[in-house]
Amino acid sequence: MDLAGKNVVYLGGFGGIGQKVCAELLERQLKALAVFDLALNGQLLGDWQAKYPSTEIFYQKVDITQKPELEAAYKAAAARLQHFDLVVNGMGLMNDHFVELTIQINLLGLINSSLLALEHMDQTKGGRGGLLVNISSVAGLQPTPAMAIYSAAKHGVTAFTRGLADPAYYARTGVGFITICPGFTDTPLLADMLDKTTFSFETPMRKIIPKVKRQPPEVCARNMVKVIEQGQNGSVWKLDVGEMEELDMPVMWKPVLQD
């Protein structure tokens, strides 16, 4: 996607990776950037507005666990922008002590957000098509015992996003779907990880957590924007240790049809 002149909605744009991705996106001469987040970062928003005066940048308060808030935010942003070209679902929580909240934020909220965005972007409903990017995780590619609940939610994100990228859907709606799977990235999400694991007793996985190499959020953000610019519908990308890799996802099952 050529990002120049595009309208972008970013959920979680004030987060650790989110604010770095938004900064990269703004360098592409966007027409507008709507930041959906739980709390306003007024300093950061003001800095962006001053640095990029030709881009309309604004904030919409959203608690992603509350579907009515999501509906209201999309409705308000649509009234202001008329259409969306790119939507990024980047809100996240990593703390397996909060089972329901982990699922609500990482999976259910993302599903609701994606389906609401699709209502505005679907060509059969008056939209212009576009691109929807969902942020999963390497924990959504490989089972992660230390964070089993978080990993389950992120596997759901990967499966859901790949499912909506089905060519039949894309041909109808004109909306592409891409899955992004960052590795360990040095943001507040990873703070005190050993206090957030599924179980507190010692395991081999818990022992290696402090030793896992982390990438700077700025590097992850640059690679993520490259994926947005060049990635194709249905693609799944791993962004880890500063590198980006499109993954060849294996087909594990095919339906057997009756004679």
Side-chain angles (χ1 to χ4, degrees):
M1 171 180 279
D2 181 357
L3 290 162
K6 297 298 194 296
N7 290 336
V8 177
V9 175
Y10 200 112
L11 288 88
F14 294 138
I17 294 177
Q19 62 178 261
K20 304 302 183 184
V21 177
C22 285
E24 284 290 324
L25 290 170
L26 287 166
E27 288 292 322
R28 269 59 174 187
Q29 299 176 325
L30 304 180
K31 180 180 180 182
L33 171 65
V35 179
F36 290 10
D37 219 322
L38 185 61
L40 170 65
N41 185 329
Q43 180 65 55
L44 186 58
L45 182 65
D47 290 347
W48 286 341
Q49 290 170 333
K51 186 175 181 181
Y52 305 98
S54 61
T55 300
E56 182 179 2
I57 308 170
F58 61 97
Y59 164 71
Q60 287 287 150
K61 183 182 185 303
V62 170
D63 179 348
I64 199 169
T65 69
Q66 303 300 312
K67 189 176 179 181
E69 284 198 22
L70 275 169
E71 291 172 334
Y74 273 111
K75 185 177 180 180
R80 190 162 176 171
L81 301 179
Q82 282 72 60
H83 73 278
F84 312 135
D85 298 296
L86 168 66
V87 173
V88 181
N89 281 305
M91 289 185 173
L93 170 71
M94 184 189 291
N95 191 329
D96 271 18
H97 295 181
F98 301 103
V99 177
E100 290 81 4
L101 195 59
T102 294
I103 301 300
Q104 287 173 348
I105 291 176
N106 293 306
L107 181 57
L108 182 57
L110 178 142
I111 289 173
N112 285 331
S113 174
S114 298
L115 295 177
L116 287 167
L118 196 56
E119 286 291 312
H120 293 278
M121 300 169 75
D122 186 341
Q123 291 177 156
T124 68
K125 298 181 179 181
R128 299 189 182 184
L131 179 62
L132 214 154
V133 174
N134 286 336
I135 300 182
S136 180
S137 167
V138 290
L141 297 170
Q142 181 73 19
T144 308
M147 292 285 184
I149 299 158
Y150 176 80
S151 182
K154 290 300 189 178
H155 271 77
V157 171
T158 303
F160 170 74
T161 310
R162 293 180 66 206
L164 288 194
D166 184 274
Y169 293 158
Y170 183 52
R172 176 181 173 84
T173 67
V175 179
F177 284 80
I178 291 176
T179 309
I180 302 283
C181 299
F184 276 50
T185 305
D186 198 12
T187 70
L189 189 74
L190 299 188
D192 304 316
M193 278 190 68
L194 293 179
D195 296 328
K196 302 174 183 177
T197 54
T198 314
F199 302 112
S200 59
F201 55 81
E202 205 58 62
T203 64
M205 183 68 176
R206 277 177 56 89
K207 288 180 180 179
I208 69 168
I209 285 175
K211 301 177 182 179
V212 177
K213 185 175 181 180
R214 301 184 181 190
Q215 62 187 346
E218 297 86 353
V219 174
C220 182
R222 284 197 295 271
N223 285 335
M224 184 168 159
V225 174
K226 289 177 183 177
V227 170
I228 291 170
E229 291 176 323
Q230 69 186 49
Q232 300 299 309
N233 176 53
S235 59
V236 179
W237 294 78
K238 181 177 68 174
L239 308 185
D240 192 26
V241 294
E243 299 180 356
M244 53 187 283
E245 177 187 358
E246 183 175 1
L247 302 179
D248 184 13
M249 304 297 286
V251 176
M252 304 297 293
W253 174 79
K254 289 183 179 180
V256 178
L257 303 181
Q258 297 180 10
D259 294 331

